[in-house]
Structures are given as C-alpha cells and as structure tokens.
C-alpha cells in the first residue's frame, strides 16, 4: 500500500530477509561469472570496472577494461596521464564524461588520499563522477562496508520481485530505503560484497529486461510478478525522458588511407575528440560554402553516402555523410590527417563507422 500523501512509499520483502539473502548468495556461489575485476579486491580496479559498466554491457566493457589497465595499471599512472591519452583508450566505449571524471578523480585521490580510493563514504562521494551507487559498490566490494547498491539491474529485479506497478525511477527513494534496511541484516553485512554482486548478477543474467528466465531464478517462488504472471509487463516504462533527434552533415575528406579530422573544442557532444567536420542540418545544398565560411577550408562535395545513425544517451544523431575533396592544401589549426585505425587519437565510435562507410567509395 502506498504511504500517506507527503511521505515516501515503504517497500517490504514478502519473505524473511535472511531467507531472501541466503537464496541469492547460494545462487551466486554457483552461477557467478569469472570476471577479471572479481579476482581481487584492489579498489582501483573495482572502481574502474564499476565506471565502465555504467550504461555498458559486460561483454562490451571487458576488452576495454583489459586494455585500459595495460596503459594505466595503477591510479597513479592514470593521474599522471594526459586527458587526451585517457580519452584515446576510452574511445568507442561511449559516455565519455565517465573517462574525464575518472581521470580527475584519480588526480584527487593521489593528491588527497595517498593514492588509494577513500574508504570513507562521504569522502568517496566528493570525487568527480562518484555517486551513491559507485561509492557503495567500491566500498562494499573492496572494503567490506555494509552499503547498498542500486543500479538498473537491481532496480528491475526488485520492482518485479515486489510486483510494484510504478517505473523504477519513481521508486528510487523507496528502493534505496529497502536496501539500506537489508544490508543491516547480519548475513548480508557479513557477505556484503558477494550480496551486492549477486543482486546485480541475477538482474544481468536471469531477470533480464526482456524474456526473464524465471525458471532459473532462485527467487521465483516468492516473486510477486512471477506469481501474478506479469513479469513481462514490469517494470513499467519511464516515458519522462524523450529521445532528442539531431541531424548533421558530415564531411568525409580522404587522402590515401587517411581522413581529414578536426578536434571538437565546442561540443555539445564529445568535446576534445577528433571528428569529421560536421555542420548541423539535413540538406547538402550549400555545404561547401558553409564549410568555407566557418573554417576557411575549400571543399568540393563529390557525392552523398548512405545515412548513418548513432545514439548518445538520449540523443539520436543522424548523419548525412558527404564524400568531399579538398581543393586547396590549407588545413586549419586543430585539424589533421588521421588513420582511423590509430589508437593514439580519441575518435568517437561514429567516426570509425563513417570511415568504414566511405571505404571503396573513392
């Protein structure tokens, strides 16, 4: 039952908390994936994995995790690096503010915390990019502190388990309170790292967004959604955030195996990354004139290539690629000829997609 107007809703488990935790922990002990960040308790490596896994699937993040640690094996090496070097290793993983915040936080950790992720919860929350979830995950897994975690997998699992009819976002406060109570249970607090990872793992592997595998779930018998047969309908979609569609004309200017790129210094997306010369719009008519007025480059549009779409958070970017020729050798400052297979420059994922689209067209 919802609480009275003006007070937060109170959520309760339908079974004894210890029974809930034991079922979860037993399942995790048998079914957990062997992931590199689970093989040790180094707070830097756990923190890095948690940042990479925000908005990113494990399969996509894992090779980036390995390569990133080869370049920056310690928080000290990350703090010493240039931002451009960090972005180059992150390129293709998306949500680039994560990389910038990780870099800034590493510098603060080395300057203020003797090169070790702070074990104090309040101090952890002061780091750039570290919110309630990340702080709880690192401190519980690396330091064994009885702190809850609530990510997309956990929220979806609990909303189904409790058969809550609201979207996860509208229940955020109530779900945090439920988890805060749960981590005080002796069994949970003793095994907090495993418990938190078990919740996230069950959501990732079994209580999936589509077609949940209820027959493989250790909580099936007490799950409210499963008993009511409504697991496919929950959680309700949150329609408060609309997708914004943006349209760009993208100039692909080849020279042998290289493409002419410019460093994005203005935003609104991917600031600091190397990208194709883009102008917002849909019609290629007058593109060369606009490019000359804006940057001083002299381009001839040779042909239009098939359109490309690329999603960044809640923005859908639509690119109309234009295969162009450079009429004069002048290249503005902040531009360069680049091999798109080069890992030393930070390219957004869509730039490599555009480059692949242009291959064989000139």
């Amino acid at each position: 039952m919802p609480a009275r107007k003006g007070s937060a809703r109170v959520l309760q488990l339908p079974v004894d908390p210890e029974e809930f935790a034991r079922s979860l922990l037993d399942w995790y002990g048998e079914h957990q994936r062997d992931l590199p960040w689970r093989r040790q308790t180094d707070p830097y490596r756990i923190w890095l994995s948690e940042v990479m896994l925000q908005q990113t699937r494990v399969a996509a993040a894992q090779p980036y995790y390995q390569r990133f640690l080869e370049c920056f094996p310690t928080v000290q090496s990350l703090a010493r690096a240039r931002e451009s070097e960090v972005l180059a290793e992150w390129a293709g993983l998306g949500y680039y503010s994560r990389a910038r915040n990780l870099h800034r936080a590493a510098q603060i950790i080395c300057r203020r915390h003797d090169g070790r992720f702070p074990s104090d919860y309040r101090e952890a929350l002061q780091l750039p990019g570290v919110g309630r979830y990340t702080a709880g995950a690192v401190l519980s897994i690396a330091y064994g502190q009885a702190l809850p975690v609530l990510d997309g997998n956990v929220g979806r699992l609990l909303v189904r388990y409790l058969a809550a009819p609201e979207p996860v976002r509208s229940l955020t406060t109530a779900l945090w309170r439920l988890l805060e109570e749960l981590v005080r249970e002796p069994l949970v607090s003793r095994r907090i790292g495993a418990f938190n990872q078990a919740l996230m793992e069950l959501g990732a592997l079994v209580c999936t967004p589509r077609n949940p595998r209820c027959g493989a779930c250790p909580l099936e018998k007490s799950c409210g959604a499963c008993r009511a047969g409504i697991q496919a309908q929950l959680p309700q979609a949150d329609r408060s955030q609309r997708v914004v569609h943006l349209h760009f004309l993208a100039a692909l200017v080849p020279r042998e195996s290289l493409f002419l790129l410019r460093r994005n210094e203005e935003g609104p997306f991917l600031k600091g990354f190397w990208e194709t010369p883009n102008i917002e719009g849909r019609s290629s008519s007058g593109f060369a004139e606009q490019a000359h007025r804006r940057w001083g480059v002299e381009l001839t549009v040779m042909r239009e290539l098939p359109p490309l779409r690329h999603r960044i958070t809640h923005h859908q970017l639509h690119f109309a690629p234009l295969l162009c020729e450079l009429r004069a050798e002048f290249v503005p400052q902040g531009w360069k000829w680049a091999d798109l297979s080069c890992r030393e420059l930070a390219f957004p994922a869509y730039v490599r997609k555009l480059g692949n689209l242009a291959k064989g067209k000139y």
Side-chain angles (χ1 to χ4, degrees):
M1 291 288 291
R4 291 179 300 174
K5 186 176 181 180
S7 61
R9 177 169 176 178
V10 176
L11 299 174
Q12 292 183 327
L13 296 177
V15 296
D16 179 75
E18 184 172 339
E19 177 187 341
F20 176 87
R22 193 171 300 282
S23 298
L24 197 61
L25 288 165
D26 288 347
W27 174 87
Y28 183 67
E30 185 175 351
H31 297 283
Q32 64 177 292
R33 289 170 288 183
D34 180 22
L35 300 173
W37 45 85
R38 289 181 177 162
R39 298 170 193 160
Q40 36 67 47
T41 56
D42 179 355
Y44 169 60
R45 295 182 175 224
I46 292 168
W47 170 42
L48 175 62
S49 72
E50 292 299 337
V51 174
M52 284 193 167
L53 291 172
Q54 293 168 16
Q55 308 291 334
T56 304
R57 294 176 296 106
V58 166
Q62 195 163 340
Y64 283 91
Y65 176 82
Q66 302 284 18
R67 288 199 301 265
F68 198 90
L69 284 175
E70 289 173 6
C71 290
F72 313 114
T74 64
V75 69
Q76 290 85 356
S77 60
L78 176 58
R80 289 192 299 267
R82 296 191 301 271
E83 183 182 273
S84 60
E85 295 173 321
V86 177
L87 291 176
E89 292 305 315
W90 200 276
L93 196 57
Y95 299 90
Y96 296 99
S97 61
R98 295 180 298 175
R100 291 189 174 91
N101 285 332
L102 189 78
H103 185 222
R104 290 168 52 214
Q107 293 172 332
I108 293 172
I109 287 171
C110 289
R111 191 165 61 247
R112 300 180 187 171
H113 303 290
D114 297 323
R116 189 169 176 81
F117 193 96
S119 59
D120 181 87
Y121 181 69
R122 293 182 180 179
E123 289 181 347
L125 289 176
Q126 298 301 311
L127 296 173
V130 175
R132 193 174 184 182
Y133 162 77
T134 304
V138 177
L139 270 60
S140 64
I141 298 169
Y143 299 126
Q145 296 188 26
L147 294 166
V149 296
L150 177 61
D151 68 353
N153 288 325
V154 175
R156 180 177 61 254
L157 185 155
L158 291 176
V159 163
R160 282 181 178 152
Y161 186 69
L162 301 169
E166 300 94 333
V168 175
R169 186 187 295 261
S170 66
L171 290 172
T172 298
T173 299
L175 289 170
W176 274 114
R177 289 181 179 178
L178 172 66
L179 290 166
E180 285 170 347
E181 292 294 325
L182 194 52
V183 299
R184 296 190 183 104
E185 294 292 322
L187 175 61
V188 176
S189 63
R190 285 198 308 271
R191 301 183 60 189
I192 186 63
F195 177 80
N196 280 342
Q197 291 180 93
L199 274 175
M200 294 186 281
E201 191 82 330
L202 189 63
L205 299 183
V206 176
C207 198
T208 51
R210 294 181 180 83
N211 304 315
R213 299 168 49 232
C214 297
C217 181
L219 307 175
E220 178 187 15
K221 292 182 179 178
S222 55
C223 174
C226 192
R227 287 187 300 179
I230 57 174
Q231 60 269 40
Q233 285 77 52
L234 296 180
Q236 286 189 10
D238 183 359
R239 306 189 184 280
S240 62
Q241 193 174 56
R242 288 185 171 185
V243 175
V244 178
H245 293 265
L246 299 174
H247 296 262
F248 295 93
L249 299 160
L252 286 160
V253 187
R255 188 175 72 181
E256 298 179 353
S257 62
L258 308 178
F259 286 90
L260 185 60
L261 302 181
R262 63 182 293 272
R263 188 178 174 87
N264 181 356
E265 301 292 358
E266 305 95 35
F269 303 104
L270 307 171
K271 186 175 180 181
F273 280 72
W274 293 90
E275 61 179 13
T276 53
N278 301 327
I279 293 177
E280 194 164 353
R282 303 188 188 205
S283 173
S284 61
S285 177
F287 176 82
E289 290 78 8
Q290 291 184 66
H292 186 263
R293 286 197 302 270
R294 180 173 296 189
W295 301 305
V297 294
E298 296 184 19
L299 300 176
T300 298
V301 177
M302 307 298 290
R303 72 187 75 169
E304 297 184 13
L305 300 178
L308 177 75
R309 292 189 300 173
H310 185 73
R311 183 75 174 263
I312 299 179
T313 60
H314 61 284
H315 293 83
Q316 182 71 59
L317 309 185
H318 301 262
F319 292 98
L322 305 175
L323 190 61
C324 299
E325 185 179 68
L326 188 65
R327 296 204 306 268
E329 284 301 312
F330 169 73
V331 174
Q333 185 176 1
W335 295 45
K336 68 168 56 182
W337 296 99
D339 182 343
L340 298 188
S341 64
C342 172
R343 294 201 56 84
E344 295 178 2
L345 295 178
F347 303 131
Y350 83 81
V351 169
R352 287 193 170 89
K353 293 179 184 177
L354 287 170
N356 290 334
L357 193 64
K359 286 179 180 177
K361 301 295 184 180
Y362 60 94

